[in-house]
Amino acid sequence: MLKHTILAAITAAFLASPSHAADDLLSKPWDDVVAQAKQEGEVVWYNWFLQPRFRELTKGFEDKYGIKVTIPDGTVDGNFSKFLAERDRAEGDIDVMSVPGDRLAQFEPATYFMGPLDPIPGFDKRRTKINGGDGKNYAVAYWGNQTGLAYDPTQLDEAKLPQSFEELNAWIAENPQAFAFNDPRGGGAGSAFIQSAVVNTSTPDDIKGANFQPSWDWFAANSENYGFTSSNADSLTRLNGGEFQLVAAWEDHLAGLQQKGEVDKRMKFYIPKFGMPGGGNAVGIPANAKHKAAALVFLEWLTSAETQDLFAKEMGSSPVNSDAKGVPGGVPAEQRAYATDWLPIETTNAVKAQFIEKVVLSQ
Amino acid sequence: MRAAQPARWRETAGLLLLLLPGLGLIVLFIGTVISMAVAQSVGYFNFSGPSGFTLDFWHKQLTSPILRTSVLYSLKIATISAILSVALAYPLALWLRKPFPGSGAISALLKAPMMVPGLVAAFLLVNVIAFHGIINETLLGLGITSKPLRMQNDRFGFAVIFLQVWKQLPFALLLLSAAVQSIHDDLLNAARDLGAGALARFRKIVLPLTLKSMQAALIIIFIGAAGDYSFQVVAGPTRSSSLAQHMYTVQREFGQWNEAAVVAIVLMAIALTGSILLAAASQLAVSWGKK
Amino acid sequence: MRNKPLQVILFALLAIVFFLWLFVPFAMALLWSLVDPDKPWSYPDLFPQKLSFRRWGDMWLTTSLPAAIGNSYLLAPVVAFLTLLLAAPTAYAFGRIPFRGKAVAQMLSLLPLVLPSFIIALFFTSLLYKLGIYNKFAGIVLGHVVLFLPYAIRILTVSFSQVRQDLIDAARDLGASPWARFSAAYLPVLRPGILAALIIVFIQSIEEFAIAFVLGSPDFTTVPTILYSYLGYNFVRPNAAVVSLVLVVPNVILMLVFERLLKSEGAAVSGGKG
């Protein structure tokens, strides 16, 4: 009885869903929104990566609107915890919140974010589905990126880079322990490779039925030939350290680490013909944001074609606005065609869960 | 005896007053937080769907083989780390008991690792044992090995235990130094005069007199190691999963907050009971050694 | 004097241990922190090609590191002293007063230590928000005090239990004032415990990320926030090395001061009780 009372009290105190008055901001003409945004004068964007670079690139927004942009230091999980912990405050610290695309499936965007955002001019050019997650018009993609294979051109023959899955199979047999991918718990590059391997070694029917056994057999049969690292960063670090010659990686991650002088500039990246998925991140405006109008204007700017081209040019991302025309530097355009979509989120999770259980922890 | 009644009442009130600012604060805050975690584990605080009472999350996790192996792995790492740290801290604490020139500096330096954040310690170790790290290059250079050894993410968890001891030994040293220094010289001298050897003095005087500090060290280190996440993900065996790693996998990779809360509660229970059992075992061992 | 060879062997052993245990890791950290951003340290170079202090300058100037250090070192002493004050009465009760249910109470007092960080980040912080504590500094202080009370309680409990009753009685019989009684009978025995508790809580507070980040960000940044920014998605070892060295130096100085304080009224009282 007492237990029930306590539970009820806790529930009442902490589960009250955010009861923010339906915002009429979204029904206002865009010019009024911009005017209100200028009055608010500042916006706080919680983004977990490359903050110093984004601080420089958002100067364009500050100059255009006279609205100050703050991008705090933080980690993806730190930001997410703050976002969840703050949801019952009347006014939170977060105006614009970045979320990895696949995490959109881990909470209900419509309950946490202001929206729907379709009144934003040119909304139909923007993407709300990314990396297997769906922002359902409450979150919009602002960052696209690509997985592929990073390699050290001084260690391997560039002309013989494995392209088909059979070639990769042969290559790792010929060069045991020269190729590596990471634990899917340590980042998406490993997850991407595992997915590609599943797509290439299991039949579409098996994949639909969540039966990936042929793929797990492939991993078991080749376990002596590939290296297994703990994270995205660990793979690139060990490529840089000369332990591996070819590793699964994110294109923008490699570019960022090279820019910071963590990984040598000689390392290169390609998308193999057997296909690797592209992913990305989305932004939304927390329902209790303090500077809602400024957040809306910032979100419009962040996802606009011009800004997307700027990010592609400066930071190696893939544009997520269909009006953007910039081709990111580095990877030749024809390789972009080998980019695939992530499997649906349930399949992605099933692949990951089975891989951890049947390949990682069982050997 | 009647007169004792009001006195007892006053004693109880006084006791409660003493406990209020420390234990009271803990029970109030942490009690609430833990009940929130319990509520989440039975279906409340559901971030991605409707909340409501269910035992599904408990059922799913308790039948998961990963949870079972993670519990065993975390218990192993925590027990070994705690015992090893304390075992290494004793000789150091005894050696530094009497001040000698430079002893203060040595003692301060020995405690430096506790200031290094865990993740940084992990990356430093991984650098040293890397494929082309200094250990491998030295071995190659001396002709001891013909090709580099792969030491990263060893299967047993030596690297994690090493890191735990590296980071936690100073805590043990801090607590044991304080305890060892408060042992009166007369006591040790008397024992020596009675012909007790170094080992006998240690077993019969030092250990019993420092037991409580040792237990405090064991408990603090055990709890820290049982909940370890950062050492495990950087340097731990890839074939095993620690409890905290399993918890964050469930939460971050699969977005199952409610199941993660189940693992969190299991983790708290394991860390607490494990540490107390270890403290009890050390008490038994010491009293047995005294004989 | 006695045991000369043993002393020599001990010193040699210690020198080796010091080298492997302390010199190698810290030298590696220092080396990493000096890697020039233009010349990454990569295979097959045994040592970095080019060393410079550029990263130190960059980190100091382009991040909020100076402010974060200020915040962390303002926060930690406040937390340490408050924790000590609040823990002392409970520790006294645990150490000197026999009562029923003490074992359970002592176990309960350990609870904050076993709390996983995601529970802290989600529920503890939202509890503080619920209580209407919006002042970032006060919120973090309260959070840290509650989290780190167990360390102080545990350590002081041991210290209190070692105070000798005959000394207290003697002081009282001699008509000493409460303060004189405290400083004669309690303080010498408590001192090492007090200092140990202060140091441990201080360091825990400096290192704590979850509460400090969720409550403090974006305007009250502490050092771990910056550190974890460089150890997370963008794993930049040289920059992380800079931040951790910046942290280690003042703390080692602090330890030296602490050793001095501990030694000053050295090994004095207490034959202890079993």
Side-chain angles (χ1 to χ4, degrees):
Chain A
M1 192 58 224
L2 181 68
K3 216 183 207 168
H4 278 260
T5 323
I6 293 171
L7 249 174
I10 294 169
T11 317
F14 296 100
L15 295 180
S17 27
S19 57
H20 306 285
D23 220 284
D24 60 356
L25 187 67
L26 287 160
S27 53
K28 282 185 184 170
W30 188 249
D31 288 341
D32 292 3
V33 175
V34 173
Q36 192 183 326
K38 286 179 175 166
Q39 217 160 27
E40 288 170 359
E42 66 168 305
V43 62
V44 184
W45 177 29
Y46 272 74
N47 188 54
W48 72 92
F49 63 97
L50 299 174
Q51 293 96 327
R53 196 79 186 103
F54 278 118
R55 283 179 199 130
E56 286 167 36
L57 293 179
T58 49
K59 290 242 160 62
F61 174 81
E62 295 184 326
D63 293 343
K64 185 172 173 190
Y65 292 103
I67 297 169
K68 189 180 172 314
V69 182
T70 304
I71 307 174
D73 285 315
T75 62
V76 61
D77 293 305
N79 288 1
F80 209 65
S81 303
K82 183 170 174 76
F83 172 60
L84 291 177
E86 271 198 352
R87 67 194 195 123
D88 290 335
R89 283 175 72 181
E91 267 188 355
D93 291 319
I94 307 173
D95 292 327
V96 178
M97 175 73 192
S98 296
V99 184
D102 49 345
R103 286 210 185 180
L104 287 171
Q106 300 184 4
F107 62 101
E108 186 48 64
T111 343
Y112 290 82
F113 286 142
M114 180 178 96
L117 299 170
D118 39 323
I120 290 178
F123 189 78
D124 54 327
K125 309 288 184 197
R126 289 156 167 87
R127 278 175 68 173
T128 66
K129 286 187 185 171
I130 192 151
N131 220 138
D134 187 352
K136 296 171 186 159
N137 289 6
Y138 283 81
V140 189
Y142 73 100
W143 187 261
N145 50 9
Q146 179 61 44
T147 62
L149 302 174
Y151 62 96
D152 182 346
T154 62
Q155 299 283 311
L156 53 69
D157 185 356
E158 272 189 280
K160 288 185 188 159
L161 286 173
Q163 292 293 351
S164 67
F165 203 75
E166 289 71 40
E167 282 172 32
L168 180 76
N169 213 351
W171 195 88
I172 60 173
E174 216 172 294
N175 307 284
Q177 297 285 331
F179 163 76
F181 61 95
N182 65 274
D183 191 322
R185 292 170 292 179
S191 213
F193 173 75
I194 294 160
Q195 241 182 55
S196 297
V198 164
V199 170
N200 279 285
T201 51
S202 293
T203 64
D205 279 346
D206 279 345
I207 293 174
K208 267 205 199 100
N211 170 27
F212 317 116
Q213 198 51 47
S215 311
W216 308 147
D217 294 341
W218 181 86
F219 280 102
N222 287 285
S223 64
E224 293 303 311
N225 293 340
Y226 61 76
F228 189 64
T229 71
S230 55
S231 66
N232 289 345
D234 192 33
S235 288
L236 288 173
T237 303
R238 288 159 83 173
L239 174 76
N240 190 55
E243 181 175 354
F244 299 116
Q245 302 166 6
L246 186 67
V247 297
W250 287 100
E251 182 186 14
D252 60 326
H253 190 203
L254 173 66
L257 293 184
Q258 285 178 320
Q259 206 199 3
K260 290 266 175 198
E262 165 74 18
V263 170
D264 196 73
K265 295 219 167 35
R266 70 171 190 268
M267 306 304 168
K268 288 189 183 166
F269 175 90
Y270 79 107
I271 309 171
K273 282 189 183 145
F274 63 76
M276 295 271 286
N281 314 319
V283 277
I285 301 167
N288 62 349
K290 205 180 289 170
H291 311 103
K292 285 200 177 73
L296 209 52
V297 175
F298 180 72
L299 192 142
E300 192 277 330
W301 176 85
L302 196 64
T303 56
S304 68
E306 299 76 48
T307 310
Q308 286 300 307
D309 275 335
L310 179 75
F311 289 171
K313 188 167 138 268
E314 297 287 331
M315 301 166 86
S317 69
S318 323
V320 281
N321 184 308
S322 58
D323 273 352
K325 34 195 170 305
V327 174
V331 177
E334 64 268 20
Q335 278 188 22
R336 298 271 163 213
Y338 309 140
T340 61
D341 278 331
W342 288 89
L343 295 170
I345 195 86
E346 303 78 32
T347 318
T348 300
N349 281 346
V351 166
K352 228 184 316 193
Q354 288 191 24
F355 181 82
I356 292 171
E357 197 179 323
K358 298 192 175 172
V359 181
V360 182
L361 298 177
S362 76
Q363 283 177 11
Chain B
M1 283 295 106
R2 236 159 228 281
Q5 285 305 85
R8 176 165 298 167
W9 182 86
R10 278 209 348 241
E11 256 170 40
T12 312
L15 183 68
L16 285 178
L17 267 180
L18 285 173
L19 294 180
L20 202 61
L23 188 62
L25 214 58
I26 290 175
V27 170
L28 187 71
F29 279 89
I30 305 302
T32 314
V33 171
I34 289 178
S35 45
M36 288 160 98
V38 172
Q40 194 182 39
S41 78
V42 294
Y44 297 89
F45 298 101
N46 194 338
F47 299 127
S48 57
S51 291
F53 183 84
T54 168
L55 287 175
D56 284 0
F57 305 115
W58 278 92
H59 180 74
K60 264 191 205 155
Q61 276 306 319
L62 292 183
T63 53
S64 150
I66 301 180
L67 182 77
R68 201 167 47 243
T69 54
S70 306
V71 167
L72 292 177
Y73 173 79
S74 286
L75 280 176
K76 173 182 92 174
I77 297 288
T79 310
I80 298 178
S81 305
I83 294 177
L84 209 57
S85 304
V86 167
L88 289 173
Y90 260 116
L92 287 169
L94 288 170
W95 180 55
L96 294 166
R97 197 172 83 90
K98 289 269 140 223
F100 55 86
S103 66
I106 290 176
S107 173
L109 272 176
L110 276 175
K111 285 172 196 136
M114 94 178 139
M115 262 72 87
V116 180
L119 269 170
V120 176
F123 97 70
L124 287 177
L125 176 80
V126 163
N127 272 329
V128 172
I129 63 171
F131 197 64
H132 289 291
I134 58 166
I135 293 187
N136 264 323
E137 294 295 324
T138 312
L139 291 177
L140 284 175
L142 295 173
I144 297 172
T145 52
S146 59
K147 59 178 194 187
L149 306 168
R150 282 180 202 271
M151 291 178 280
Q152 213 169 323
N153 306 110
D154 71 277
R155 280 176 172 232
F156 182 79
F158 289 115
V160 177
I161 293 170
F162 177 88
L163 284 168
Q164 287 291 352
V165 174
W166 193 75
K167 172 113 178 124
Q168 308 278 25
L169 174 74
F171 285 109
L173 186 59
L174 194 60
L175 298 180
L176 291 180
S177 300
V180 161
Q181 267 159 19
S182 64
I183 299 176
H184 214 284
D185 277 347
D186 298 347
L187 220 54
L188 289 170
N189 292 338
R192 197 184 358 246
D193 295 343
L194 288 172
L199 204 63
R201 290 201 300 269
F202 181 69
R203 271 195 306 136
K204 298 193 172 174
I205 298 172
V206 178
L207 271 183
L209 285 182
T210 55
L211 173 67
K212 284 189 177 150
S213 296
M214 175 175 76
Q215 286 176 320
L218 284 174
I219 287 174
I220 289 174
I221 297 171
F222 184 94
I223 289 177
D228 167 58
Y229 174 75
S230 48
F231 290 159
Q232 173 63 21
V233 292
V234 178
T238 46
R239 306 285 182 218
S240 315
S241 166
S242 79
L243 257 178
Q245 190 183 21
H246 176 52
M247 177 178 76
Y248 285 116
T249 303
V250 169
Q251 183 220 91
R252 290 176 195 159
E253 297 302 322
F254 301 110
Q256 300 296 335
W257 297 87
N258 307 74
E259 282 182 51
V262 173
V263 185
I265 292 163
V266 171
L267 170 57
M268 290 191 264
I270 293 281
L272 205 60
T273 47
S275 68
I276 286 169
L277 285 179
L278 188 62
S282 69
Q283 187 146 9
L284 277 180
V286 167
S287 58
W288 177 78
K290 217 159 123 183
K291 283 176 199 152
Chain C
M1 298 186 303
R2 72 192 156 86
N3 275 342
K4 197 95 191 255
L6 186 73
Q7 205 80 337
V8 171
I9 293 170
L10 266 179
F11 258 107
L13 214 72
L14 202 86
I16 296 170
V17 168
F18 258 71
F19 181 77
L20 292 176
W21 201 255
L22 296 171
F23 180 79
V24 171
F26 284 101
M28 290 291 286
L30 187 66
L31 208 54
W32 271 107
S33 77
L34 295 175
V35 172
D36 190 88
D38 290 335
K39 282 260 174 228
W41 185 2
S42 79
Y43 179 77
D45 303 328
L46 261 185
F47 288 99
Q49 295 260 293
K50 191 176 165 203
L51 297 180
S52 76
F53 277 102
R54 269 178 59 195
R55 294 198 186 260
W56 287 77
D58 283 356
M59 291 299 286
W60 196 258
L61 296 174
T62 62
T63 69
S64 43
L65 191 57
I69 289 177
N71 288 340
S72 284
Y73 282 89
L74 179 70
L75 189 69
V78 174
V79 170
F81 279 107
L82 267 179
T83 307
L84 196 72
L85 282 182
L86 293 173
T90 297
Y92 178 84
F94 283 172
R96 302 205 66 81
I97 305 174
F99 61 91
R100 255 198 319 178
K102 197 202 261 188
V104 176
Q106 280 187 299
M107 198 165 106
L108 282 179
S109 75
L110 286 174
L111 278 177
L113 293 188
V114 298
L115 222 49
S117 68
F118 99 89
I119 302 279
I120 297 171
L122 274 183
F123 295 135
F124 198 3
T125 51
S126 70
L127 174 64
L128 291 174
Y129 280 138
K130 278 281 166 193
L131 294 173
I133 299 166
Y134 292 135
N135 180 303
K136 299 190 174 224
F137 187 77
I140 301 171
V141 168
L142 179 58
H144 280 190
V145 166
V146 174
L147 279 192
F148 306 139
L149 267 171
Y151 293 105
I153 292 178
R154 261 285 144 178
I155 296 165
L156 291 181
T157 300
V158 177
S159 301
F160 272 117
S161 72
Q162 282 170 342
V163 176
R164 286 165 52 177
Q165 192 60 43
D166 51 350
L167 280 183
I168 305 172
D169 295 342
R172 198 187 24 232
D173 294 347
L174 291 171
S177 69
W179 171 249
R181 260 184 279 164
F182 177 76
S183 61
Y186 283 91
L187 198 56
V189 187
L190 290 184
R191 182 193 295 270
I194 290 176
L195 289 170
L198 280 178
I199 279 286
I200 289 182
V201 174
F202 186 93
I203 285 166
Q204 298 293 337
S205 171
I206 292 254
E207 260 194 41
E208 202 278 337
F209 173 70
I211 286 197
F213 177 77
V214 173
L215 293 184
S217 175
D219 8 33
F220 191 86
T221 310
T222 58
V223 177
T225 298
I226 294 179
L227 184 72
Y228 287 106
S229 296
Y230 288 100
L231 283 170
Y233 182 84
N234 280 285
F235 183 79
V236 185
R237 271 175 301 180
N239 292 5
V242 173
V243 182
S244 35
L245 284 176
V246 163
L247 259 188
V248 168
V249 173
N251 284 335
V252 169
I253 295 172
L254 206 81
M255 286 306 303
L256 281 169
V257 173
F258 162 71
E259 289 295 330
R260 174 76 32 103
L261 285 175
L262 191 61
K263 287 280 140 55
S264 64
E265 291 193 29
V269 211
S270 143
K273 6 179 260 181

